[in-house]
Each structure stands twice: as C-alpha cells, then as structure tokens.
Amino acid sequence: MSTTTEVIAHNWAFAIFLIVAIGLCGLMLLGAYFLGGRARARGKNIPFESGIDPVGSARMRLSAKFYLVAMFFVIFDVEALYLYAWSTSIRESGWTGFIEATIFIVVLLAGLVYLVRIGALDWAPVRSKGRRPEAITHNTPRHPQ
C-alpha cells in the first residue's frame, strides 16, 4: 500500500468516526425529545434541590478561600496519583526510585506545612479567632511623638 493510500484510509476512518459520533449524539438528543415527558406545570420550571424549596439567589458569592482549598485539593490529589504510579513500579525503580519518592513526599509535606503556617487552610474568619481586626489591619508601627 502506498503512503497516499494509507493517509486517505486514515482520513476516511476518522471521518466515519466523526459522523458516527455526531449521529449518535443527535440520535440520543432526538430520542430524549420524543420519548421525554410533556407535562407543563408551574412547579416544573422551578429548581428542586433534595426536597428543599429554593431560597435566595443562585448568584451567591463564595469566599476566595473556598477556591483556594479546592485548588490545593486538586494539586495534592494529582500528586497522590504520581505516588500511585510510583508504587506500581517500585520493584523496577529500586532504591533510587525509593529515594526520589521520599524526596517527593518530603517536598509535599513541606508545602502542606507552609500552607498551614500561612493560614491558607483556615476557614474561620479573622474576628472569630480571638484576634482584634484593627490590630491586624494596621501595618505601620506607632511611634510616640
């Protein structure tokens, strides 16, 4: 088989894959439209969350700490995935791999200790920790004149 014939065969295979995938998605959407319920009522268009009526706006502002903790979780979760991959090949990697994994874990623990020390994982607001907020907001030293 020549190179151009192989390229054309691969392109046709990809085109057939795309057509089948798009057709299957369209078929599922059309099937849901035709087979789905048609009931219209006042209660059908309001959100329903675990049997509780919705209260307030859906545009609730969340603290940036929520997103920060979520990012830390994702980062440490991905690093746990690397450790799992390492654990499956522990026999092949030997002592060198063990030392490298130990260094990796120590760096992870140092990062976690740093995050705890700077308070990045604290959920409580400043005023509930027993500190005075005015003492925290003033960064300039007070000199008697």
Side-chain angles (χ1 to χ4, degrees):
M1 225 180 184
S2 69
T3 306
T4 56
T5 310
E6 289 178 13
V7 170
I8 291 172
H10 284 294
N11 287 341
W12 273 110
F14 184 68
I16 290 172
F17 170 76
L18 281 179
I19 290 169
V20 169
I22 292 171
L24 185 61
C25 290
L27 183 69
M28 286 190 285
L29 288 172
L30 285 173
Y33 177 76
F34 287 120
L35 298 175
R38 300 272 191 269
R40 301 277 187 242
R42 188 171 56 112
K44 289 284 185 179
N45 293 327
I46 63 170
F48 181 77
E49 183 64 36
S50 301
I52 300 171
D53 290 331
V55 177
S57 172
R59 308 265 188 265
M60 185 175 76
R61 295 181 62 115
L62 295 174
S63 172
K65 287 196 176 260
F66 172 77
Y67 298 108
L68 192 62
V69 170
M71 285 189 295
F72 293 150
F73 173 76
V74 169
I75 290 169
F76 283 103
D77 197 40
V78 168
E79 291 165 348
L81 182 69
Y82 286 134
L83 287 175
Y84 178 74
W86 167 78
S87 69
T88 59
S89 66
I90 191 168
R91 291 189 190 270
E92 292 86 16
S93 59
W95 282 104
T96 306
F98 179 75
I99 292 170
E100 290 174 353
T102 305
I103 292 170
F104 182 71
I105 291 171
V106 167
V107 169
L108 284 179
L109 288 176
L112 187 60
V113 168
Y114 173 74
L115 291 174
V116 169
R117 300 248 330 164
I118 65 170
L121 301 176
D122 291 338
W123 284 86
V126 174
R127 64 181 167 272
S128 69
K129 292 183 182 177
R131 297 185 219 153
R132 291 187 336 228
E134 61 272 0
I136 294 171
T137 57
H138 293 29
N139 291 332
T140 59
R142 297 182 184 180
H143 298 287
Q145 299 223 358

